[in-house]
């Protein structure tokens, strides 16, 4: 009897050891393929340097759709197709100008219109400036800001180790500042750029007027961090100084665009869908190489790796290049709408939208059972310096996605330099390191592989 029990234990131990060895070996092959035989860096080179910025509704966004579709078609996938989606079309217009008018002295400062902003008059806007550090402080001033330009100057917090926490701690002033200032009669708003360092690059980004009447829309722009420091200093010396800015942006009618989709059909459970993706659109100031060209080509590289290795997934793996994450999120919403219409069953979704820097881990939206399951693979990732597995936001494009059982994950690269480039003129191809980009793709492919092999825990609903 004891011999039988020992034999069973040894047999089961051998199975576990074999499984671990198989997974370890597969991860080695995945990383080797990405570091020696990947296409993601050359794909990004083309997206950035041949196509350039890809703001939703633009001609370059359409070029990016056609280019990535054509590249996916070269990989021998089971299906590549476009998914129609109506997206906003906002045009920046002429380059913005601004200066601080301190008595008779005019000091030029770098600004850029925030996405979705209205224009100033053709002659620009000049008014006294009220500096605030929060929307709460704005509300406390009330009608004292009437007829003035509100200057939101709350910096990202340097003491935050995770840079995205610093970003989320102050981005409300960019997104909702103009709407809130308009309620008290402000003529316009200027917002300190979402940037941890001091430089001369203004950072654009989405803003919303919410449900206020269009007649109350006021122009809003971001000022560089150096410009914000200077303006704040000048206001302290002369509270009556004036600020001038001019912008000619315009919101057009929505236009037709597309999500780009490619898939490998599952060999055992084709009805179960695993998504890996990033957003194809970018802001218009630069190439959008980190945000989110990197996530796009990394997602494409995941299926390229599997094809190179001859890996046949159990579940259907679908790469989705979402359109319009930056100024509307229409691509992610449309994808979910059609997934519901087609009664598709998604079990896993992975997004890369935090830059092409060295991967550090994953942010997970899951129940405890699936979180602990993924945490159990930590030893497999350790040789590749992947160590951070935390619960948190997975991604904006996969945010709307729902299914009866669904685990969501976001790739977590090192975040320290991300906001040096985020939504700014310097988010260009030269800012992306080839090896870091490839390591991110391999890390994504590794998690997709492990989920595909072992499935997800189905003890309760996860959304």
């Amino acid at each position: 009897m004891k011999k039988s029990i020992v034999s069973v234990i040894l047999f089961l131990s051998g199975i576990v050891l074999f499984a671990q060895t198989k997974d370890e070996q597969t991860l080695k092959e995945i990383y080797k393929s990405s570091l020696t035989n990947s296409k993601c860096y050359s794909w990004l080179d083309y997206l950035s340097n041949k196509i350039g910025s890809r703001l939703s509704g633009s001609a370059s966004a359409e070029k990016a759709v056609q280019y990535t579709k054509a590249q996916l078609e070269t990989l021998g996938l089971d299906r590549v197709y476009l998914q129609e989606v109506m997206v906003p079309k906002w045009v920046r217009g002429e380059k913005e100008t601004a200066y601080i008018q301190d008595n008779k002295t005019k000091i030029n400062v770098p600004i850029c219109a925030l996405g979705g902003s209205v224009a100033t008059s053709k002659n620009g806007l000049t008014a006294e400036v009220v500096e605030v550090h929060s929307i709460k402080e704005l509300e406390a001033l009330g009608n004292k800001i009437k007829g003035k330009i509100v200057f939101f100057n709350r910096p990202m917090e340097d003491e935050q180790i995770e840079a995205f926490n610093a970003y989320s701690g102050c981005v409300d002033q960019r997104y909702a500042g103009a709407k809130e200032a308009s309620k008290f009669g402000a003529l316009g708003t200027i917002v300190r750029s979402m940037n941890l360092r001091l430089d001369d690059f203004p950072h654009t980004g989405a803003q919303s007027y919410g449900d206020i009447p269009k007649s109350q829309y006021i122009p809003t722009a971001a000022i560089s961090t150096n410009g914000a420091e200077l303006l704040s200093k000048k206001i302290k010396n002369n509270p009556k100084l004036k600020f001038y800015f001019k912008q000619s942006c315009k919101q057009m009618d929505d236009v037709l665009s597309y999500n780009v989709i490619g898939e490998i059909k599952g060999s055992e459970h084709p009805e179960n869908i695993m998504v890996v993706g990033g957003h194809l659109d970018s802001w218009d100031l630069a190439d959008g190489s980190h945000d989110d060209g990197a996530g796009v080509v990394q997602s494409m590289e995941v299926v390229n790796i599997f094809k190179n290795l001859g890996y046949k997934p159990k579940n259907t793996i679908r790469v989705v290049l979402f359109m319009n994450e930056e100024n509307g999120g229409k691509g992610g919403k449309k994808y979910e709408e059609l997934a519901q219409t087609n009664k598709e069953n998604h079990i896993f979704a992975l997004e890369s939208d935090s830059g092409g820097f060295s991967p550090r881990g994953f942010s997970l939206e899951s129940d405890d059972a699936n979180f602990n399951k993924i945490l159990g693979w930590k030893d497999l990732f350790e040789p590749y310096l992947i160590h951070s597995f935390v619960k948190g936001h997975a991604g904006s494009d996969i945010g709307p996605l729902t299914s009866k059982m669904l685990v969501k994950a976001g790739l977590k690269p090192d975040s320290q330099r991300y906001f040096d480039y985020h939504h700014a003129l310097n988010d260009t191809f030269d800012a992306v390191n080839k090896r870091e980009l490839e390591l991110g793709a391999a890390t994504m492919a590794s998690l997709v592989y492990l989920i595909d092999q072992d499935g997800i825990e189905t003890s309760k609903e996860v959304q």
Side-chain angles (χ1 to χ4, degrees):
M1 181 69 177
K2 289 184 179 179
K3 287 184 179 180
S4 298
I5 293 173
V6 171
S7 297
V8 170
I9 292 173
L10 289 174
F11 176 72
L12 293 175
S13 298
I15 292 176
V16 173
L17 182 61
F18 173 77
Q20 289 175 336
T21 302
K22 176 188 173 185
D23 288 342
E24 288 171 351
Q25 184 60 39
T26 301
L27 261 63
K28 285 181 181 178
E29 291 173 358
I30 286 172
Y31 276 90
K32 179 180 178 181
S33 176
S34 190
L35 290 169
T36 64
N37 195 28
S38 70
K39 296 183 177 181
C40 58
Y41 194 65
S42 61
W43 283 332
L44 184 61
D45 186 3
Y46 193 96
L47 272 179
S48 299
N49 294 320
K50 300 296 184 183
I51 295 177
S53 65
R54 304 172 298 280
L55 189 59
S56 292
S58 66
S60 53
E62 174 61 22
K63 289 178 182 177
V65 165
Q66 298 304 323
Y67 172 70
T68 51
K69 178 177 181 286
Q71 292 305 305
L72 287 172
E73 288 172 339
T74 68
L75 302 183
L77 306 181
D78 293 311
R79 188 184 180 200
V80 177
Y81 59 101
L82 301 181
Q83 190 177 75
E84 292 186 354
V85 54
M86 297 298 293
V87 300
K89 181 180 176 66
W90 178 80
V91 179
R92 182 173 299 278
E94 297 177 1
K95 182 175 174 55
E96 305 88 341
T97 57
Y99 57 77
I100 301 167
Q101 186 173 325
D102 189 1
N103 295 319
K104 294 183 179 181
T105 303
K106 294 181 179 179
I107 306 171
N108 293 324
V109 290
I111 70 160
C112 66
L114 292 177
S117 176
V118 295
T120 62
S121 68
K122 291 183 178 180
N123 295 324
L125 170 62
T126 305
E128 290 184 6
V129 183
V130 177
E131 180 178 357
V132 299
H133 299 90
S134 67
I135 291 175
K136 186 176 181 179
E137 186 178 336
L138 168 83
E139 292 171 342
L141 288 172
N143 290 330
K144 291 180 181 178
I145 68 172
K146 186 175 182 179
K148 297 181 180 180
I149 293 172
V150 175
F151 168 39
F152 289 95
N153 191 31
R154 183 165 81 256
M156 293 176 69
E157 296 180 344
D158 290 330
E159 64 267 29
Q160 294 284 349
I161 302 302
E162 172 53 72
F164 282 91
N165 291 337
Y167 177 71
S168 62
C170 64
V171 73
D172 64 322
Q173 61 190 336
R174 187 198 76 197
Y175 187 75
K179 177 188 72 172
E180 298 303 325
S182 173
K183 295 176 182 178
F184 299 101
L187 298 180
T189 62
I190 298 294
V191 183
R192 183 189 183 99
S193 287
M194 305 291 108
N195 185 0
L196 281 162
R197 71 177 182 181
L198 294 175
D199 63 25
D200 294 317
F201 296 108
H203 294 232
T204 192
Q207 69 86 35
S208 172
Y209 293 113
D211 57 0
I212 64 173
K214 287 187 176 182
S215 60
Q216 295 180 21
Y217 288 7
I218 58 175
T220 180
I223 185 172
S224 72
T225 48
N226 274 338
E229 291 289 298
L230 178 62
L231 179 56
S232 181
K233 180 180 177 181
K234 292 291 184 181
I235 290 172
K236 288 179 175 63
N237 293 331
N238 178 11
K240 293 295 184 180
L241 67 72
K242 294 184 177 182
F243 190 85
Y244 167 87
F245 72 108
K246 180 184 176 182
Q247 56 192 43
S248 57
C249 40
K250 185 177 181 181
Q251 188 73 48
M252 317 289 278
D253 292 336
D254 287 1
V255 299
L256 178 65
S257 190
Y258 305 90
N259 293 327
V260 182
I261 302 175
E263 65 182 32
I264 303 173
K265 282 288 185 184
S267 58
E268 296 181 16
H269 303 288
E271 74 282 3
N272 292 337
I273 300 170
M274 301 174 64
V275 163
V276 56
H279 66 85
L280 192 52
D281 62 305
S282 76
W283 282 110
D284 57 322
L285 296 180
D287 311 337
S289 293
H290 276 297
D291 186 21
D292 185 30
V296 164
V297 300
Q298 286 173 330
S299 300
M300 295 168 66
E301 188 60 40
V302 168
V303 290
N304 186 44
I305 289 170
F306 290 154
K307 295 301 290 187
N308 286 340
L309 297 181
Y311 176 67
K312 299 185 184 302
K314 296 179 180 180
N315 305 287
T316 294
I317 296 178
R318 184 180 287 174
V319 54
V320 183
L321 312 181
F322 298 94
M323 182 57 71
N324 184 233
E325 186 273 345
E326 293 292 6
N327 60 333
K330 295 292 184 68
K333 293 171 186 174
K334 174 57 72 171
Y335 182 84
E336 162 62 4
E337 176 190 324
L338 293 177
Q340 290 296 318
T341 298
N342 297 326
K343 295 181 169 52
E344 293 179 337
N345 180 43
H346 289 78
I347 62 170
F348 180 67
L350 169 60
E351 183 168 338
S352 173
D353 186 18
S354 298
F357 300 102
S358 290
R360 293 288 179 255
F362 299 96
S363 179
L364 299 153
E365 295 180 36
S366 72
D367 63 359
D368 289 340
N370 282 294
F371 179 77
N372 290 329
K373 181 171 190 170
I374 293 172
L375 196 61
W377 295 326
K378 195 171 182 179
D379 287 347
L380 291 170
F381 283 101
E382 184 185 10
Y384 310 101
L385 306 181
I386 306 304
H387 61 274
S388 179
F389 295 81
V390 299
K391 285 193 175 184
H393 178 64
S396 298
D397 283 310
I398 61 175
L401 191 60
T402 58
S403 273
K404 184 177 180 180
M405 287 300 308
L406 177 61
V407 173
K408 299 177 184 179
L411 179 69
K412 275 175 57 67
D414 187 294
S415 65
Q416 303 312 317
R417 291 172 290 152
Y418 182 63
F419 290 98
D420 294 353
Y421 306 99
H422 183 248
H423 297 177
L425 184 67
N426 58 339
D427 185 7
T428 51
F429 180 69
D430 61 301
V432 178
N433 176 273
K434 182 175 182 290
R435 275 184 68 84
E436 290 181 324
L437 184 73
E438 293 166 347
L439 286 167
T443 301
M444 293 167 68
S446 296
L447 183 60
V448 172
Y449 159 77
L450 291 168
I451 294 285
D452 182 60
Q453 284 292 297
D454 285 4
I456 61 172
E457 300 299 319
T458 57
S459 56
K460 65 178 182 178
E461 291 188 0
V462 181
Q463 290 188 6

